[in-house]
Amino acid sequence: MLAKRIIPCLDVKDGRTVKGVNFVDLRDAGDPVELAWNYSNQGADELVFLDITATVERRKTMVELVKSVARQINIPFTIGGGINEIADADALLNAGADKISINSAAVRNPKLIDELAAAFGVQFVVIAVDTRSIGDKHVVHLNGGRLPTERQTLEWILEAESRGAGEILLTSMDHDGTKGGFDNGLLKTVNDAVHIPVIASGGAGKVEHFVDVFEKTNVDAALAASVFHYGEILIPDLKQILKSNNIEVRI
């Protein structure tokens, strides 16, 4: 059985790590390179960096951030935000990122997934999906969760997989920042439907939420931000508790 992964997520804005609730009310959470080094030493399995206000002008900033992070850590990390074409991904991977994450650009131009998978291999391509419940449907949202689309979440994820996505990073906006637990119902539905790894995101507030998400959904990884950034959960402690619940993790 593959070990379950614990992944801190660093939302980066203007070179700083920030965190909000339901994607708004951002507050500073520290220097991303320092946090990356700390998480690598704590035993995080991977890291995800998301440039949440990505623009063309910031692309060079993100390349420099990738280089700085790559010098400090020895675990895989993913970069997302503002990747709209092969050249963007190429620059970040050449700077030291292990994977790239795309969200809005993939929904607007699904062929981008095919192109990235063909250029770099499926293992490099993470499709991030921000979803929110509207009525009785789970709907994909773009632009950092601000723009609802016509796409239903599971349908879009299945298309992304068929086009060459290597992994799905699924964030429940309804749960994001609430610390009330992951959206286990949705995560199980998606995980049961796909054949690629699923990363659970949105809602982690205490250790039991990680136990629950692995036991109830069998996802491959769980991602969180503020509980790690502010020291509410320490990764070594979390992994020991997961192990005591017979959940396979790397210690």
Side-chain angles (χ1 to χ4, degrees), residues 142-196:
L142 306 184
N143 293 8
R146 292 183 288 274
L147 180 67
T149 70
E150 300 293 314
R151 302 302 303 260
Q152 291 194 37
T153 300
L154 181 57
E155 168 211 339
W156 166 237
I157 288 171
L158 290 170
E159 179 180 339
E161 179 184 30
S162 73
R163 288 182 176 275
E167 200 162 26
I168 300 295
L169 169 52
L170 182 57
T171 300
S172 167
M173 294 170 57
D174 299 309
H175 288 241
D176 179 74
T178 64
K179 299 187 180 178
F182 293 97
D183 190 340
N184 293 328
L186 174 64
L187 286 161
K188 179 167 174 51
T189 298
V190 170
N191 197 53
D192 288 350
V194 300
H195 302 92
I196 55 177

Side-chain angles (χ1 to χ4, degrees), residues 2-64:
L2 285 175
K4 302 300 186 184
R5 289 172 288 149
I6 300 299
I7 306 177
C9 179
L10 296 90
D11 292 332
V12 179
K13 181 176 186 287
D14 301 325
R16 299 289 293 177
T17 308
V18 295
K19 185 57 192 146
V21 177
N22 302 125
F23 286 45
V24 295
D25 297 328
L26 302 176
R27 60 182 175 133
D28 190 273
D31 176 78
V33 179
E34 286 180 18
L35 285 168
W37 179 83
N38 184 33
Y39 290 138
S40 179
N41 285 348
Q42 273 195 42
D45 298 293
E46 295 184 21
L47 297 174
V48 170
F49 295 82
L50 299 177
D51 182 356
I52 60 170
T53 54
T55 65
V56 174
E57 296 79 37
R58 284 210 183 85
R59 180 58 44 228
K60 290 180 182 173
T61 307
M62 288 304 285
V63 167
E64 290 308 311

Side-chain angles (χ1 to χ4, degrees), residues 112-141:
L112 181 59
I113 303 173
D114 307 70
E115 293 169 4
L116 289 167
F120 305 112
V122 296
Q123 71 273 20
F124 292 104
V125 184
V126 178
I127 300 301
V129 180
D130 295 334
T131 182
R132 176 173 272 159
S133 298
I134 298 180
D136 60 350
K137 297 175 181 174
H138 289 284
V139 176
V140 175
H141 284 61

